[in-house]
DNA sequence: GATACGTGGGC
DNA sequence: TGCCCAAGTAT
């Protein structure tokens, strides 16, 4: 493969330029203020397929609640999932939790040092193992995530054929480029460059510290797109006053099947079939929203129902676990992202702290009709 | 290697 | 009632 940084001298210049750019431009993110392997691990798992901006608050809350491997290991899985609610890819949380328990049992409660050993933990793949080892332990191993892959493809150019872009070639290129003296910082700098300058669309080549080494100046092949599918779904909002002068309410929730492929064991509003809608004589929905999950658009309508009405419906006798949950306990429940969104919009969810100012609260974007 | 797994934000 | 995709992993 032809290489825009073929000589060691070229690579060294690349490193210096990248690292000095990073020193000036690194975003101030909470997990960058520590080298605690546990915290790095938590942040890396949260960051899998998830934007840094989304992770910031969740990371802070998570670390506050589970400051150590031991505290995480001792927690109940449902409490871990409750903190993960809305982040998606819930398997990550389960694996993080089970890995913490494994470490308590078999590794003296600490994370292994090498990327090779880290790689054996559930939920820790090549990327995460390299990230933890390089950032927290200074191991000279390069990470290749989506950002690094894009940066390298652009810097190195397409090369001779499809093989040149294989994972193995990219990993090799990344390791040749790696700064042996500061692997953790170098890795983060490469990712930061991808996340903030070498963007998938409209890369900011004018601001790129290593543009002199770049063969392509920003070209990037488009990926095949996937067809979106539309699905309609209906949910019931069943409330019951709790006393206290009617100030507090309880909401009826159901738990998804433990063997469901999506969001197993998570809690959501009771679903209503078409038959239920007729049967319940439901009138107008209190809420219509769109909720996208991977390649499916859910067009969701929420109908307010009296407890007694709901009890009479066929769906109510399904074998799912049901429970009344006090509104002020909702933050402790492992809700699906959709359930969380609905309860927030309808002002049932006791909002933790965030005060929104100057913004129209109903998110507008995914509201429909 | 392909596919499933969630969600929010940007345009 | 769009489309992309983000600090991936497991199967």
């Amino acid at each position: 493969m032809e290489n825009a940084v073929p000589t060691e001298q070229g690579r060294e210049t690349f490193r210096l330029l990248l690292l000095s750019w990073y020193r000036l431009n690194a975003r101030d993110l909470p997990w960058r203020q520590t080298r605690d392997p546990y915290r790095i691990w938590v942040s890396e798992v949260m960051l899998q397929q998830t934007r840094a901006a989304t992770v910031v608050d969740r990371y802070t809350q998570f670390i506050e609640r589970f400051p150590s491997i031991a505290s995480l290991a001792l927690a109940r899985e449902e409490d871990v999932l409750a903190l993960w609610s809305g982040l998606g890819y819930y398997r990550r949380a389960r694996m993080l939790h089970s890995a913490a328990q494994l470490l308590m049992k078999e590794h003296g409660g600490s994370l292994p040092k090498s990327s090779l050993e880290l790689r054996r933990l559930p939920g820790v793949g090549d990327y995460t193992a390299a990230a933890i080892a390089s950032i927290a332990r200074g191991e000279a191993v390069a990470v290749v995530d989506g950002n690094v892959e894009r940066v390298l493809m652009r810097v190195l150019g397409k090369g001779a054929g499809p093989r040149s872009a294989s994972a193995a070639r990219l990993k090799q290129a990344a390791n040749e480029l790696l700064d042996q003296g500061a692997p953790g910082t170098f890795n983060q700098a490469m990712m930061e460059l991808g996340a903030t300058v070498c963007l998938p669309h409209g890369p900011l080549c004018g601001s790129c510290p290593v543009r002199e080494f770049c063969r392509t100046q920003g070209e990037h092949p488009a990926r095949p797109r996937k067809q979106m599918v539309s699905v309609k779904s209906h949910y019931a909002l069943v409330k019951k006053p709790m006393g206290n002068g009617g100030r507090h309410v309880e909401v009826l929730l159901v738990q998804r099947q433990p063997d469901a492929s999506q969001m197993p064991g998570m809690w959501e509003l009771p679903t209503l079939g078409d038959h239920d809608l007729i049967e319940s004589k439901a009138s107008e929905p209190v809420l219509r929203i769109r909720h996208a999950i991977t390649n499916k658009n859910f067009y969701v309508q929420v109908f307010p129902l009296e407890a007694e009405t709901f009890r009479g419906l066929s769906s109510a006798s399904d074998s799912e676990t049901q429970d009344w949950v006090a509104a002020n306990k909702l933050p402790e429940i492992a809700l699906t992202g959709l359930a969380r969104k609905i309860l927030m919009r309808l002002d049932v969810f006791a909002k933790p702290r965030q005060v929104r100012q100057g913004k129209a609260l109903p998110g507008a974007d995914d509201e429909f009709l």
Side-chain angles (χ1 to χ4, degrees), chain A residues 241-255:
Chain A
M242 241 183 97
N244 286 353
R247 217 173 83 73
H248 299 303
V249 294
E250 290 185 331
V251 192
L252 188 61
L253 297 179
V254 303
Q255 188 170 27

Side-chain angles (χ1 to χ4, degrees), chain A residues 282-310:
Chain A
S283 50
E284 285 301 296
V286 276
L287 182 67
R288 298 161 182 263
I289 55 173
R290 188 182 57 152
H291 186 72
I293 292 187
T294 13
N295 63 334
K296 278 190 187 142
N297 269 327
F298 288 93
Y299 291 91
V300 175
Q301 300 192 40
V302 183
F303 296 89
L305 250 47
E306 297 301 323
E308 224 159 273
T309 312
F310 180 77

Side-chain angles (χ1 to χ4, degrees), chain A residues 37 50 73 134 182 225 227 254 267-268 270 306 311 321 350:
Chain A
T50 310
S134 64
R225 59 168 92 133
Q227 183 80 38
V254 303
W267 292 83
E268 61 185 354
E306 297 301 323
R311 209 175 302 134
T321 308

Side-chain angles (χ1 to χ4, degrees), chain A residues 89-140:
Chain A
Y89 289 125
Y90 299 101
R91 200 172 45 177
R92 292 183 295 174
R94 296 178 208 276
M95 290 189 295
L96 187 67
H97 183 225
S98 68
Q101 295 181 328
L102 186 77
L103 291 174
M104 292 305 290
K105 209 164 146 191
E106 298 182 4
H107 209 269
S110 64
L111 278 162
K113 298 247 193 293
S114 72
S115 57
L116 219 54
E117 296 167 282
L118 287 162
R119 180 67 180 78
R120 297 202 205 108
L121 293 171
V124 177
D126 287 344
Y127 164 77
T128 305
I132 300 170
S134 64
I135 297 170
R137 312 286 198 189
E139 182 179 322

